[in-house]
Amino acid sequence: DSGVTQTPKHLITATGQRVTLRCSPRSGDLSVYWYQQSLDQGLQFLIQYYNGEERAKGNILERFSAQQFPDLHSELNLSSLELGDSALYFCASSATRGGQANYGYTFGSGTRLTVV
Amino acid sequence: LAKTTQPISMDSYEGQEVNITCSHNNIATNDYITWYQQFPSQGPRFIIQGYKTKVTNEVASLFIPADRKSSTLSLPRVSLSDTAVYYCLVGDDTGFQKLVFGTGTRLLVSP
């Protein structure tokens, strides 16, 4: 157990639907990062939050949005889902704003999203 | 941007030492070098982190030359369970580029 909790572990939904993925960071970590990993692809950075505020944005689609709540958990909302959105979605957390110092990121086990 | 370059894949046999080198020619003064391991359908796992010279922990060693333009992850006596993708990540605590994982190195360990 890495300390980063992601729910649900698996999600199957239809095209056009909307889903919410949840992440609870490791205790004490203020930064949360979201990544998308399609089959046999690398990790694509989506977005980062630090202590409730958006810190950095990657190639996140307009159909996707995220937020970090006062208790530091984060949610990634995916709407108007397409077949190509099927992927593993990982959440990571770190103690610092950047995550490189103090042993980097801690990743959760991911949510596998299947759009049918 | 501190872009990294790694070999796409490597093959090894059980019991051998494996060295994976990452090039990061544009590394900045405040950048750290961090390596992660990822198994299929799992999140990446931190292996080792360093700034300069050599760092060793219970699973790996990290060699960083004086110019810091490259780093080498050394896995002693690999086993089948070391088959995974290994990512090199370079960055500090302020820059966006640190959040970008490269393609990684796919290590296959055979009996």
Side-chain angles (χ1 to χ4, degrees):
Chain A
D1 183 8
S2 67
V4 177
T5 303
Q6 289 189 248
T7 57
K9 292 191 183 301
H10 302 277
L11 198 50
I12 301 175
T13 190
T15 54
Q17 294 297 305
R18 171 189 169 95
V19 298
T20 298
L21 312 184
R22 181 187 170 101
C23 169
S24 294
R26 194 179 54 169
S27 179
D29 286 355
L30 300 179
S31 277
V32 169
Y33 312 78
W34 286 97
Y35 286 85
Q36 178 193 56
Q37 188 170 42
S38 302
L39 188 63
D40 290 332
Q41 298 294 312
L43 289 151
Q44 301 296 317
F45 169 68
L46 296 178
I47 198 165
Q48 177 203 359
Y49 281 84
Y50 175 77
N51 202 20
E53 294 188 2
E54 184 181 302
R55 176 78 172 83
K57 227 170 184 177
N59 295 324
I60 186 168
L61 300 172
E62 287 191 7
R63 300 183 285 109
F64 296 1
S65 65
Q67 56 184 325
Q68 185 180 29
F69 296 86
D71 66 353
L72 301 178
H73 90 272
S74 178
E75 292 181 357
L76 178 66
N77 300 297
L78 316 176
S79 62
S80 302
L81 285 168
E82 303 174 359
L83 296 178
D85 297 327
S86 295
L88 267 168
Y89 291 84
F90 290 107
C91 167
S93 72
S94 71
T96 61
R97 285 175 297 176
Q100 273 297 79
N102 300 321
Y103 305 107
Y105 310 149
T106 301
F107 280 81
S109 57
T111 293
R112 181 175 294 279
L113 173 66
T114 302
V115 183
V116 298
Chain B
L1 300 179
K3 180 180 177 180
T4 61
T5 303
Q6 302 174 232
I8 294 175
S9 63
M10 295 182 68
D11 295 326
S12 183
Y13 293 96
E14 282 189 294
Q16 290 190 334
E17 177 184 74
V18 171
N19 295 309
I20 305 173
T21 297
C22 178
S23 296
H24 29 80
N25 291 321
N26 296 326
I27 189 169
T29 303
N30 294 329
D31 285 346
Y32 289 80
I33 301 159
T34 312
W35 285 80
Y36 292 84
Q37 175 192 55
Q38 186 181 27
F39 298 114
S41 299
Q42 295 186 26
R45 182 176 71 100
F46 171 90
I47 302 175
I48 196 165
Q49 183 180 72
Y51 182 78
K52 62 181 179 180
T53 63
K54 176 184 175 182
V55 179
T56 297
N57 62 23
E58 63 276 8
V59 298
S61 294
L62 178 60
F63 299 91
I64 305 169
D67 65 5
R68 303 202 324 124
K69 293 183 183 298
S70 67
S71 59
T72 298
L73 173 72
S74 180
L75 304 173
R77 298 179 298 281
V78 294
S79 63
L80 297 177
S81 62
D82 291 317
T83 294
V85 178
Y86 293 82
Y87 295 95
C88 162
L89 204 63
V90 173
D92 64 11
D93 249 10
T94 58
F96 169 76
Q97 67 275 16
K98 68 191 178 302
L99 303 173
V100 179
F101 282 73
T103 54
T105 298
R106 190 175 296 273
L107 173 66
L108 175 61
V109 180
S110 301

